[in-house]
Amino acid sequence: MNKTLEEHIIQENLTPEQLAKISKHYKSKNVSELPEWFKKKTVPREHAGILLYTIIWQEMENGETLGEVWNDTVEPSKLDYHIKGLKAQTNYSICVEVMYYSFTTLRSEYLEIETNRNFSLIPPGDHKDNCHCDKMGTVNDDPDHPGCRTHFFGSMSLKLCQCQEGYSGMYCHICRPGYYRLGPNMPCNKCPCDIKKSNGYCHFREGYLFCDTCNEGYGGNLCQTCAKGYYRPGGSAYCTRCNCHGNTDFCQDITGECIGCRHNTAGFNCNRCAHGYVNIRKTGHLTSCVHADTAQQMQEKNKPSVGSGAIAGICVTVIVVIGLIIGVVIYKRYWRYPTARPFWTVELKDDHEGICFSSVPEDELVAITAREEEEERKRGKSGSQPYTKLRENI
């Protein structure tokens, strides 16, 4: 936004919320420099919206204003405003000023009014005119004081306004939440906002009636239309979400037929692949529809030559076979070459100063050899390693 335009806006002494509101408006309209219609009485229609109201009031005496001038800003969505802090039984001069998005301002004529008595709990018979009720908003069942009802507080009593349905306030002069009026001195009417479609409250904005908040699935100023992604089945008063499997955001507003299916899908609910396309995902939404030729290429490319399970089986088999071969070799070697028997000994002499060598006696060596040969023959095994005599000429 141009600095000159920023300076003009800052000079208006707006609140941060109002500054953000006007900045958002100018940004949405692509206004970056000070326009020719700024603060002019004739402006483009798109900039004729109301930015805020300003209520101005000042105390009066004998037809002359005196004292401090008071003011307060009001959002354009508010239809009623209550000035606080006024003195009882005092004359005031009040006017309303409106500011548009173009910063053009218009001011109403000044209205001179007198406030009511500032009454509280009053003894019976002290005042007979202590109830000033709005005739349109009160229940008129007291002939002496229309709209008033006496309320007792111990020995004290007070006449208070009894409001009709749809009215509230001390004098039953404003509409209750959920009601609206077309203008001053007009009756309060119930908001035409279905609680199944909205929060049930409404307000005026720039001459049009709006429901405060629409529920999910509804739109329009009175939440009377279906929002994007919803439709109203024939004969139904309420909206239903479109069943398009996430492949489009729009459907026909009565039948619910999906419009503009994406991701190569088709059908009433975008629930199948379009002609010439196949779904490569077996579960979930149809978001994987690809051309048939592409799907075939993908399958051939991803087809494994040997499964991972087959590779694992081959590896295990090889390990088992190698283990068996090693076991057989060790077994045969053990029986073919038994552990050799000692045929000579080495002993330490008694004086611990020498070593004595002695060989196995001849008869004992022969007996051992004969026994082992006999055992070999019984097992059907031959070629065992015989003992040899120790050479004595070492």
Side-chain angles (χ1 to χ4, degrees):
M1 191 177 292
N2 187 276
K3 182 178 180 181
T4 304
L5 182 57
E6 289 182 350
E7 289 177 347
H8 278 80
I9 294 176
I10 293 173
Q11 289 175 358
E12 299 299 329
N13 296 321
L14 301 178
T15 65
E17 293 79 10
Q18 293 165 349
L19 283 172
K21 183 177 180 181
I22 190 65
S23 298
K24 181 179 179 181
H25 172 78
Y26 279 129
K27 185 176 181 180
S28 65
K29 305 300 181 182
N30 296 321
V31 178
S32 58
E33 297 181 357
L34 188 65
E36 296 180 357
W37 43 260
F38 192 79
K39 289 191 174 184
K40 299 294 178 62
K41 291 185 178 181
T42 304
V43 300
R45 182 182 297 272
E46 60 183 357
H47 299 288
I50 297 174
L51 176 62
L52 57 91
Y53 291 105
T54 302
I55 312 298
I56 304 170
W57 68 94
Q58 189 176 12
E59 190 175 337
M60 294 186 64
E61 186 175 347
N62 299 325
E64 299 292 334
T65 57
L66 57 91
E68 185 177 356
V69 178
W70 300 87
N71 65 80
D72 193 11
T73 58
V74 183
E75 291 297 319
S77 59
K78 295 189 66 175
L79 185 62
D80 296 297
Y81 176 77
H82 305 285
I83 302 175
K84 299 179 181 179
L86 298 180
K87 298 179 182 179
Q89 295 182 305
T90 304
N91 292 328
Y92 284 91
S93 175
I94 301 176
C95 77
V96 179
E97 183 180 82
V98 60
M99 177 180 288
Y100 296 88
Y101 283 116
S102 62
F103 285 92
T104 304
T105 58
L106 296 177
R107 181 174 293 189
S108 69
E109 296 181 355
Y110 280 88
L111 175 67
E112 295 183 9
I113 64 169
E114 181 181 359
T115 57
N116 296 322
R117 193 193 330 271
N118 185 19
F119 61 89
S120 57
L121 294 179
I122 304 173
D126 188 8
H127 296 287
K128 293 184 179 180
D129 59 343
N130 58 355
C131 190
H132 305 275
C133 304
D134 183 87
K135 294 182 180 180
M136 189 175 294
T138 53
V139 178
N140 296 318
D141 57 358
D142 188 338
D144 294 330
H145 301 87
C148 294
R149 278 190 179 179
T150 303
H151 296 261
F152 294 93
F153 302 91
S155 61
M156 310 292 289
S157 66
L158 178 66
K159 288 187 178 296
L160 299 176
C161 301
Q162 186 69 22
C163 299
Q164 296 191 65
E165 182 180 357
Y167 294 83
S168 64
M170 181 178 291
Y171 310 116
C172 302
H173 59 295
I174 60 175
C175 296
R176 290 181 56 188
Y179 289 78
Y180 74 98
R181 62 174 16 136
L182 296 174
N185 300 321
M186 298 289 287
C188 292
N189 303 300
K190 190 172 182 62
C191 290
C193 300
D194 192 332
I195 58 174
K196 292 184 178 180
K197 301 178 182 179
S198 68
N199 63 355
Y201 301 121
C202 61
H203 63 274
F204 268 101
R205 186 167 72 234
E206 299 179 13
Y208 293 94
L209 186 65
F210 288 82
C211 295
D212 286 359
T213 304
C214 293
N215 294 338
E216 183 180 359
Y218 296 91
N221 62 314
L222 297 178
C223 307
Q224 77 279 14
T225 62
C226 293
K228 174 183 175 182
Y230 289 80
Y231 75 102
R232 182 178 283 107
S236 175
Y238 302 104
C239 298
T240 302
R241 185 185 292 275
C242 297
N243 182 24
C244 298
H245 297 85
N247 292 318
T248 183
D249 298 325
F250 301 95
C251 63
Q252 209 277 337
D253 56 359
I254 296 178
T255 64
E257 182 178 3
C258 299
I259 301 173
C261 295
R262 301 190 301 265
H263 309 128
N264 303 320
T265 59
F268 189 92
N269 299 114
C270 298
N271 56 342
R272 61 179 177 81
C273 292
H275 179 71
Y277 291 82
V278 295
N279 184 27
I280 61 174
R281 185 185 298 175
K282 299 301 182 182
T283 60
H285 290 170
L286 291 176
T287 57
S288 301
C289 293
V290 299
H291 197 274
D293 295 339
T294 304
Q296 184 176 0
Q297 293 176 3
M298 293 173 62
Q299 291 178 355
E300 293 177 355
K301 182 178 179 180
N302 297 329
K303 185 177 180 181
S305 57
V306 180
S308 57
I311 295 175
I314 293 174
C315 293
V316 172
T317 302
V318 171
I319 293 174
V320 171
V321 171
I322 293 175
L324 290 175
I325 294 174
I326 294 174
V328 171
V329 171
I330 294 175
Y331 176 80
K332 288 184 176 182
R333 184 175 182 83
Y334 173 79
W335 288 111
R336 181 173 294 276
Y337 304 105
T339 304
R341 296 289 189 273
F343 56 87
W344 52 273
T345 61
V346 180
E347 296 180 355
L348 187 65
K349 290 184 178 181
D350 294 338
D351 57 3
H352 300 282
E353 293 182 358
I355 298 175
C356 179
F357 293 87
S358 64
S359 62
V360 178
E362 183 71 20
D363 56 349
E364 184 178 346
L365 181 61
V366 172
I368 292 173
T369 303
R371 285 198 306 271
E372 290 184 350
E373 290 177 352
E374 182 67 22
E375 291 177 0
E376 291 293 335
R377 283 193 300 272
K378 290 179 180 181
R379 290 196 300 267
K381 187 176 181 182
S382 61
S384 61
Q385 183 180 5
Y387 286 96
T388 57
K389 294 182 180 180
L390 180 66
R391 292 188 302 169
E392 297 179 358
N393 59 352
I394 296 177

